[in-house]
Amino acid sequence: MNPSTAPLTLYTADTPNGLKVSLYLHEASLAYRQVNVDLSAGEQKRPEFLRMNPNGKIPVIVDHERDLTLFESGAILTYLAQKTGVLQPMTQAKALAVDQWLHFQIGGIGPILGQLWWFIHASRTGNREAIERYCKESLRLMGVVEARLAQSAYLATDEYSIADIAAFAWLRTHHELALDVTPFPHMRRWLAQIEARPAVQSAIVANRGQASLRQA
């Protein structure tokens, strides 16, 4: 497929939030063109990008078939699942369960692990108190995930969903954050099970910027 004719364009970078959307696109076998945004060069703050996302962050997806541009990874996942029906629960109860666990990631896991990453890898002050605070809260959130996965094969229901995609993209970074996940065997099982999926493996490679076009 010619990249210019792909029905979807994904603006992304090698971050957990960028990976979320790549994971879904590969799971659903959707054809898309990938535009790698150089965050260190500030490409996400340029006027042409801000016209797509005024908040100046990735990911952004453009659905050329519907002339629709969408930002915020959770909104993109929900939109794609509703549009394609892939990983979309068939009952309202299950759909609400997916929604609540997706919001749990968006409001909890992502912000907390993201702050921990910044203080460990980007801060020049070495704020010990901040690192301890975000480490403690990260482990608490992992405990919530562990308790849930002790009862369910996946986060929201007994089936793989966009809630798992969203949480996986962040929780797989535990090694970068020096978080000891030994006390969380169910979460470790869940991480390994998802990482073994062929679509997940190809999405991880693609989102590193090593592929520009996904063939359906």
Side-chain angles (χ1 to χ4, degrees):
M1 177 183 292
N2 186 325
S4 64
T5 64
L8 300 168
T9 298
L10 170 64
Y11 295 82
T12 189
D14 188 16
T15 73
N17 283 335
L19 178 59
K20 290 182 200 176
V21 180
S22 183
L23 288 168
Y24 186 87
L25 292 169
H26 284 250
E27 288 285 4
S29 297
L30 297 177
Y32 70 98
R33 181 173 71 98
Q34 179 168 311
V35 177
N36 302 310
V37 180
D38 188 341
L39 302 182
S40 62
E43 290 182 355
Q44 74 279 19
K45 304 298 183 183
R46 293 177 181 174
E48 57 270 26
F49 191 89
L50 292 173
R51 283 193 288 270
M52 295 186 294
N53 182 1
N55 197 32
K57 294 182 180 294
I58 61 94
V60 171
I61 199 161
V62 180
D63 186 337
H64 301 287
E65 295 176 334
R66 297 185 177 181
D67 192 22
L68 176 69
T69 299
L70 197 62
F71 60 88
E72 289 295 332
S73 58
I76 294 170
L77 289 176
T78 299
Y79 168 73
L80 291 174
Q82 291 177 348
K83 177 185 178 181
T84 66
V86 177
L87 304 183
Q88 176 70 5
M90 300 304 293
T91 68
Q92 184 183 40
K94 288 186 176 182
L96 288 171
V98 169
D99 196 44
Q100 72 178 2
W101 283 100
L102 176 61
H103 281 273
F104 170 75
Q105 184 281 306
I106 295 168
I109 293 173
I112 296 299
L113 270 66
Q115 289 296 322
L116 179 58
W117 189 96
W118 191 88
F119 278 106
I120 291 175
H121 297 288
S123 174
R124 298 181 180 179
T125 62
N127 191 318
R128 180 182 57 81
E129 186 177 22
I131 291 175
E132 290 179 353
R133 177 188 187 279
Y134 287 114
C135 181
K136 181 178 180 181
E137 181 63 5
S138 295
L139 292 172
R140 185 192 72 79
L141 291 168
M142 288 182 173
V144 175
V145 171
E146 175 71 10
R148 172 58 180 164
L149 293 174
Q151 302 172 347
S152 175
Y154 294 100
L155 271 180
T157 71
D158 57 355
E159 298 174 335
Y160 184 55
S161 74
I162 60 174
D164 298 288
I165 283 176
F168 168 81
W170 277 97
L171 293 173
R172 67 183 290 271
T173 67
H174 61 84
H175 59 285
E176 299 177 29
L177 305 174
L179 293 170
D180 181 10
V181 297
T182 304
F184 310 122
H186 296 287
M187 188 185 79
R188 287 189 282 111
R189 178 268 306 165
W190 171 84
L191 285 170
Q193 185 175 355
I194 294 175
E195 191 161 9
R197 297 174 69 93
V200 170
Q201 295 175 17
S202 63
I204 290 172
V205 172
N207 204 64
R208 288 174 181 155
Q210 298 172 2
S212 60
L213 178 67
R214 163 72 180 182
Q215 299 285 356

